[in-house]
mmCIF file of all heavy atoms in Angstrom:
data_model
loop_
_atom_site.group_PDB
_atom_site.id
_atom_site.type_symbol
_atom_site.label_atom_id
_atom_site.label_comp_id
_atom_site.label_asym_id
_atom_site.label_seq_id
_atom_site.Cartn_x
_atom_site.Cartn_y
_atom_site.Cartn_z
ATOM 1 N N ILE A 190 32.633 -36.177 1.672
ATOM 2 C CA ILE A 190 33.651 -35.306 2.282
ATOM 3 C C ILE A 190 33.541 -33.886 1.711
ATOM 4 O O ILE A 190 33.537 -32.901 2.444
ATOM 5 C CB ILE A 190 35.069 -35.894 2.086
ATOM 6 C CG1 ILE A 190 35.213 -37.158 2.947
ATOM 7 C CG2 ILE A 190 36.149 -34.886 2.441
ATOM 8 C CD1 ILE A 190 36.518 -37.908 2.786
ATOM 9 N N LEU A 287 43.363 -31.430 10.500
ATOM 10 C CA LEU A 287 43.825 -32.257 9.375
ATOM 11 C C LEU A 287 43.847 -31.413 8.108
ATOM 12 O O LEU A 287 42.810 -30.976 7.619
ATOM 13 C CB LEU A 287 42.883 -33.459 9.164
ATOM 14 C CG LEU A 287 43.140 -34.292 7.890
ATOM 15 C CD1 LEU A 287 44.507 -34.963 7.943
ATOM 16 C CD2 LEU A 287 42.062 -35.353 7.691
ATOM 17 N N ARG A 289 44.754 -32.115 4.465
ATOM 18 C CA ARG A 289 45.080 -33.221 3.544
ATOM 19 C C ARG A 289 45.915 -32.645 2.394
ATOM 20 O O ARG A 289 45.351 -32.202 1.387
ATOM 21 C CB ARG A 289 43.803 -33.840 2.995
ATOM 22 C CG ARG A 289 42.955 -34.622 4.001
ATOM 23 C CD ARG A 289 41.690 -35.151 3.318
ATOM 24 N NE ARG A 289 41.050 -36.216 4.055
ATOM 25 C CZ ARG A 289 39.921 -36.075 4.772
ATOM 26 N NH1 ARG A 289 39.328 -34.906 4.860
ATOM 27 N NH2 ARG A 289 39.392 -37.120 5.394
ATOM 28 N N GLU A 291 47.686 -33.869 0.070
ATOM 29 C CA GLU A 291 47.621 -34.498 -1.255
ATOM 30 C C GLU A 291 46.510 -33.887 -2.114
ATOM 31 O O GLU A 291 46.592 -33.889 -3.334
ATOM 32 C CB GLU A 291 47.460 -36.019 -1.142
ATOM 33 C CG GLU A 291 46.164 -36.525 -0.526
ATOM 34 C CD GLU A 291 46.153 -36.438 0.999
ATOM 35 O OE1 GLU A 291 47.161 -36.008 1.579
ATOM 36 O OE2 GLU A 291 45.113 -36.790 1.605
ATOM 37 N N ARG A 325 49.143 -32.960 7.366
ATOM 38 C CA ARG A 325 49.472 -34.363 7.091
ATOM 39 C C ARG A 325 50.347 -34.427 5.851
ATOM 40 O O ARG A 325 50.019 -33.818 4.823
ATOM 41 C CB ARG A 325 48.187 -35.168 6.872
ATOM 42 C CG ARG A 325 48.493 -36.639 6.624
ATOM 43 C CD ARG A 325 47.237 -37.462 6.580
ATOM 44 N NE ARG A 325 46.466 -37.211 5.378
ATOM 45 C CZ ARG A 325 45.262 -37.749 5.157
ATOM 46 N NH1 ARG A 325 44.713 -38.537 6.067
ATOM 47 N NH2 ARG A 325 44.610 -37.498 4.046
ATOM 48 N N ASP A 328 49.424 -38.219 1.543
ATOM 49 C CA ASP A 328 48.794 -39.538 1.695
ATOM 50 C C ASP A 328 48.452 -40.010 0.284
ATOM 51 O O ASP A 328 47.289 -40.080 -0.099
ATOM 52 C CB ASP A 328 47.532 -39.422 2.560
ATOM 53 C CG ASP A 328 46.934 -40.789 2.881
ATOM 54 O OD1 ASP A 328 47.613 -41.806 2.661
ATOM 55 O OD2 ASP A 328 45.779 -40.829 3.346
ATOM 56 N N LYS A 333 43.699 -41.875 -3.659
ATOM 57 C CA LYS A 333 44.235 -40.538 -3.923
ATOM 58 C C LYS A 333 45.597 -40.630 -4.627
ATOM 59 O O LYS A 333 46.627 -40.336 -4.031
ATOM 60 C CB LYS A 333 44.371 -39.760 -2.612
ATOM 61 C CG LYS A 333 43.026 -39.407 -1.999
ATOM 62 C CD LYS A 333 43.154 -38.834 -0.619
ATOM 63 C CE LYS A 333 43.591 -39.864 0.374
ATOM 64 N NZ LYS A 333 43.360 -39.512 1.766
ATOM 65 N N ARG A 351 51.036 -47.103 0.059
ATOM 66 C CA ARG A 351 50.392 -45.790 0.126
ATOM 67 C C ARG A 351 50.855 -45.071 1.401
ATOM 68 O O ARG A 351 51.472 -45.667 2.273
ATOM 69 C CB ARG A 351 48.864 -45.916 0.102
ATOM 70 C CG ARG A 351 48.284 -46.757 1.199
ATOM 71 C CD ARG A 351 46.771 -46.592 1.301
ATOM 72 N NE ARG A 351 46.404 -45.249 1.733
ATOM 73 C CZ ARG A 351 45.249 -44.945 2.338
ATOM 74 N NH1 ARG A 351 44.373 -45.908 2.575
ATOM 75 N NH2 ARG A 351 44.981 -43.715 2.712
ATOM 76 N N MET A 412 48.985 -40.619 12.169
ATOM 77 C CA MET A 412 47.590 -41.043 12.066
ATOM 78 C C MET A 412 47.525 -42.448 12.650
ATOM 79 O O MET A 412 48.395 -43.282 12.364
ATOM 80 C CB MET A 412 47.160 -41.151 10.591
ATOM 81 C CG MET A 412 47.186 -39.878 9.803
ATOM 82 S SD MET A 412 45.711 -38.879 10.015
ATOM 83 C CE MET A 412 44.417 -39.909 9.368
ATOM 84 N N GLU A 414 45.338 -45.229 11.945
ATOM 85 C CA GLU A 414 44.268 -45.646 11.029
ATOM 86 C C GLU A 414 44.471 -47.073 10.538
ATOM 87 O O GLU A 414 43.670 -47.594 9.763
ATOM 88 C CB GLU A 414 44.148 -44.672 9.856
ATOM 89 C CG GLU A 414 45.438 -44.392 9.113
ATOM 90 C CD GLU A 414 45.293 -43.320 8.028
ATOM 91 O OE1 GLU A 414 44.166 -42.966 7.668
ATOM 92 O OE2 GLU A 414 46.340 -42.859 7.534
ATOM 93 N N LEU A 434 43.289 -40.273 15.232
ATOM 94 C CA LEU A 434 42.647 -41.470 14.693
ATOM 95 C C LEU A 434 41.977 -41.161 13.356
ATOM 96 O O LEU A 434 41.120 -40.267 13.280
ATOM 97 C CB LEU A 434 41.581 -41.971 15.662
ATOM 98 C CG LEU A 434 42.084 -42.797 16.842
ATOM 99 C CD1 LEU A 434 41.123 -42.669 18.016
ATOM 100 C CD2 LEU A 434 42.228 -44.265 16.451
ATOM 101 N N GLY A 435 42.358 -41.884 12.327
ATOM 102 C CA GLY A 435 41.707 -41.773 11.017
ATOM 103 C C GLY A 435 40.639 -42.856 10.965
ATOM 104 O O GLY A 435 40.876 -43.967 10.514
ATOM 105 N N THR A 436 39.451 -42.514 11.479
ATOM 106 C CA THR A 436 38.438 -43.564 11.608
ATOM 107 C C THR A 436 37.886 -44.033 10.258
ATOM 108 O O THR A 436 37.292 -45.101 10.190
ATOM 109 C CB THR A 436 37.286 -43.094 12.518
ATOM 110 O OG1 THR A 436 36.880 -41.795 12.091
ATOM 111 C CG2 THR A 436 37.716 -43.054 13.977
ATOM 112 N N ASN A 437 38.089 -43.225 9.181
ATOM 113 C CA ASN A 437 37.622 -43.692 7.865
ATOM 114 C C ASN A 437 38.396 -44.940 7.473
ATOM 115 O O ASN A 437 37.823 -45.967 7.097
ATOM 116 C CB ASN A 437 37.851 -42.613 6.796
ATOM 117 C CG ASN A 437 37.194 -41.300 7.146
ATOM 118 O OD1 ASN A 437 36.291 -41.261 7.955
ATOM 119 N ND2 ASN A 437 37.661 -40.216 6.534
ATOM 120 N N ASP A 438 39.717 -44.842 7.550
ATOM 121 C CA ASP A 438 40.528 -46.008 7.192
ATOM 122 C C ASP A 438 40.522 -47.056 8.291
ATOM 123 O O ASP A 438 40.571 -48.253 8.008
ATOM 124 C CB ASP A 438 41.965 -45.577 6.856
ATOM 125 C CG ASP A 438 42.060 -45.090 5.418
ATOM 126 O OD1 ASP A 438 41.532 -45.772 4.531
ATOM 127 O OD2 ASP A 438 42.642 -44.016 5.189
ATOM 128 N N ARG A 448 36.341 -48.824 1.529
ATOM 129 C CA ARG A 448 35.549 -47.617 1.802
ATOM 130 C C ARG A 448 34.998 -46.981 0.532
ATOM 131 O O ARG A 448 34.137 -46.106 0.598
ATOM 132 C CB ARG A 448 36.379 -46.599 2.602
ATOM 133 C CG ARG A 448 37.536 -46.020 1.842
ATOM 134 C CD ARG A 448 38.432 -45.205 2.747
ATOM 135 N NE ARG A 448 38.125 -43.789 2.718
ATOM 136 C CZ ARG A 448 38.913 -42.851 3.229
ATOM 137 N NH1 ARG A 448 40.041 -43.190 3.831
ATOM 138 N NH2 ARG A 448 38.594 -41.592 3.169
ATOM 139 N N CYS A 485 40.250 -37.449 13.437
ATOM 140 C CA CYS A 485 40.034 -36.567 12.285
ATOM 141 C C CYS A 485 39.286 -37.265 11.160
ATOM 142 O O CYS A 485 39.164 -36.729 10.068
ATOM 143 C CB CYS A 485 41.354 -35.976 11.788
ATOM 144 S SG CYS A 485 42.521 -37.204 11.211
ATOM 145 N N GLY A 486 38.762 -38.477 11.402
ATOM 146 C CA GLY A 486 37.907 -39.139 10.407
ATOM 147 C C GLY A 486 36.519 -38.533 10.477
ATOM 148 O O GLY A 486 36.216 -37.732 11.383
HETATM 149 C C1 LIG B 601 40.826 -41.246 7.746
HETATM 150 O O1 LIG B 601 41.268 -42.235 7.176
HETATM 151 O O2 LIG B 601 39.960 -41.307 8.647
HETATM 152 C C2 LIG B 601 41.284 -39.887 7.382
HETATM 153 C C3 LIG B 601 40.959 -38.854 8.121
HETATM 154 O O3 LIG B 601 42.028 -39.719 6.278
HETATM 155 P P1 LIG B 601 41.502 -39.899 4.759
HETATM 156 O O4 LIG B 601 39.995 -39.855 4.780
HETATM 157 O O5 LIG B 601 42.104 -38.777 4.010
HETATM 158 O O6 LIG B 601 42.053 -41.234 4.378
#
Side-chain angles (χ1 to χ4, degrees):
I190 290 176
L287 172 64
R289 291 178 162 105
E291 65 281 359
R325 182 173 71 185
D328 187 13
K333 291 171 290 197
R351 58 167 293 204
M412 297 277 297
E414 52 185 346
L434 279 153
T436 48
N437 304 340
D438 277 313
R448 67 189 264 193
C485 62

